[in-house]
Amino acid sequence: MAAIELRGLTKVYPGGVRALDALDLVIPDGEFFALLGPSGCGKTTLLRTIAGLETATGGSVVIGERDVTGVQPGGRDVAMVFQDYALFPHMDVTDNIAYPLRIKKVAKAARQAKAAEVGARLGLDHLMDRRPGQLSGGQQQRVALARVMATQAQAFLFDEPLSNLDARLRLEARTFLKKLQRELGVTTVFVTHDQAEALAMADRMAVMEAGHIRQIGTPAEVFQRPANTFVAAFIGSTPMNLLDGVVRGGTLEVAGCALPVPTSAQGLLADGEKIVYGVRPEYNAYASEPAEDALGGKVVIMENLGASHLVTLDVNDVLVQAIVPEGREPAIGEQGWAVPRRDRALVYRDGELVAG
Amino acid sequence: MTRFVLGRIGFSTLIAVLLAFFTLPLLWLASAPLTSDPTYKVSVPDFTWENFQTILEHPYALPSLYNSLVLSVGTALVVVLLAALAAYALSRVHLPGRDVLLYVLLLLSSIITGTAAMVPLFQLAVDLQLIDSQFGLILILSGGLLPAAIFMLKDFMDATPKSYEESARVFGATPLQIVRHVVVPLVRPGLATIAVWSVANVWGNFLMPFLLLRDVEKQPAAVIMYTLYTEGGQANLRLLSTFGLLYSVPVVVMYLIVSKKYGFRFHGGIKR
């Protein structure tokens, strides 16, 4: 087990594309860490650079106090699960799981015993002599996991481990993966473009954009207090309301309504300043009667989320969303008021969070 | 309607004629060896084994088939081994001008074992003392086949996902281990194709062994076939047909076996 430390890590592809720009990141021992970002943000490049499949242009990668920047992938003592699992199609499950041990010159009997043990732990006992082509997606994923477990590496790297599974299986696999990581206690970095996946599984996460880390924190921190409007817009299954506003005296003028300054930005705003007011639909209470400190408008769209509805209000030509619990759904065309929670609303200045 | 029927009849007749055109020589090859006095016509054989008897007693016939086997299998081994390594490297490493290099090689290769390069090749073989040596002949034949083999195999290599190899690399496999454990099994159908193609090519090559081998005992079947004449200088149809049959059987058998075993399929089942 080992911590992973990246110092000033830079990767420039031939042609001048800066995939990683002087990244600093410390992932403590045993942590389940998510790299989240839209496609092309450099998250997979970062993972591959940790694995050694890409050579860093600058900076260093330290795994367990050992600088491995110039070390070949095989010498870094990490194991990786690829997006397509990369199970060898010509080998059966046993041989696939035992392959890392074969490279380490472990005797055949010993490595088959180890494969059987790890396979049994992941519920693969009855599939050990099948070929990958004869397995379902979920089974293939477990074989890939068994294979990295057999390596007993210092750290695991998962590249979009769930993206090849269908939606239903993905939720099961998510729980399974989190439980497995907790039991093994191996430092694990995984890449995903699905914010829900990162929020659900990770102990901590980094949100990336264009080769930069825009925020590092626990899922709760990243969800409740996005450090900038990029993260605010990217995180959350319903996007955050980001509304242009102006500071007027002690209040904020947003979409023609007067709102109190959120707790987090208290005393940090100057009069007349242009800001962006951010509040998640989940933190907007909905009222069908006129309310104080609220954004009032006409209901234009209702979206069913299952146990609740997402209401979209037209507030003086600005769209504002709020969540309404079951049984209290307004009708389209009605007047409604979204009341932001003062302790959850946020203020952004020049795209960055205003906070003490 | 009538037009349609007439059209079908016309089409079928055309196909039948074409088919007969290609079938007759094969029929002749099947019947003539069993006939005691074959002519150029296809006739009902009288089922004599006499011709086979004569061929077995011929001093060079059977050894020449063995020579053909040595030359073709030797060349196939050299070609498959070298082409696999070269194609893998060319497929995975980005060299400036790689594709140009491949096309130029391919172009030149059609000249190398062709008539155009006869004289210089002969000269080269003499200088390197590779004349009248089966080993030398294998090297020269391999040289001629390699560019096309590399070209074909590179396509197979390009089609295998890189993640297999990267996965093996992260587990610590060396490049040679990756080739042995992962790449070769994955492109096995391609390797089989190249092997069959090389064997068939050498098996049918007349010019190179005729030029570069002196000793009649080292000559392959393709060259010996040329010597099967009667004392009068007439083609000896009895021997020619029988030897021709023996000569073609191994290639057909090889093709059937390889096609059955490796017929183009791809393992796996990963959605991508």
Side-chain angles (χ1 to χ4, degrees), chain B residues 64 68 71 137 203-211 213 215-216 218-228 243 247:
Chain B
S64 78
S68 282
L71 287 176
L137 182 57
W203 196 266
N205 194 321
F206 166 78
L207 190 62
M208 283 297 134
F210 182 70
L211 276 179
L213 296 177
D215 193 345
V216 71
K218 292 180 187 162
Q219 292 288 11
V223 177
I224 293 301
M225 175 94 73
Y226 185 63
T227 65
L228 298 177
F243 193 61
Y247 175 67

Side-chain angles (χ1 to χ4, degrees), chain B residues 118-182:
Chain B
M118 258 173 9
V119 176
L121 265 183
F122 183 81
Q123 199 82 59
L124 193 68
V126 170
D127 288 350
L128 292 174
Q129 301 190 332
L130 288 175
I131 210 87
D132 201 24
S133 140
Q134 288 188 333
F135 175 69
L137 182 57
I138 286 176
L139 288 185
I140 287 172
L141 289 169
S142 303
L145 297 177
L146 265 172
I150 292 172
F151 196 78
M152 285 189 265
L153 263 182
K154 184 178 161 289
D155 252 13
F156 275 92
M157 303 269 183
D158 286 346
T160 54
K162 260 185 151 174
S163 60
Y164 294 136
E165 293 145 52
E166 288 180 337
S167 175
R169 257 184 88 198
V170 177
F171 294 134
T174 62
L176 265 182
Q177 278 176 320
I178 294 175
V179 169
R180 274 199 353 251
H181 299 161
V182 181

Side-chain angles (χ1 to χ4, degrees), chain A residues 2 65 82 101 106 124 147 216 232 257-258 269 271 280 285 292:
Chain A
E65 325 242 298
F82 288 77
L101 302 173
V106 176
L124 295 165
R147 189 166 62 171
I216 301 177
C257 305
L269 301 173
D271 201 22
R280 294 202 176 280
E292 286 275 301

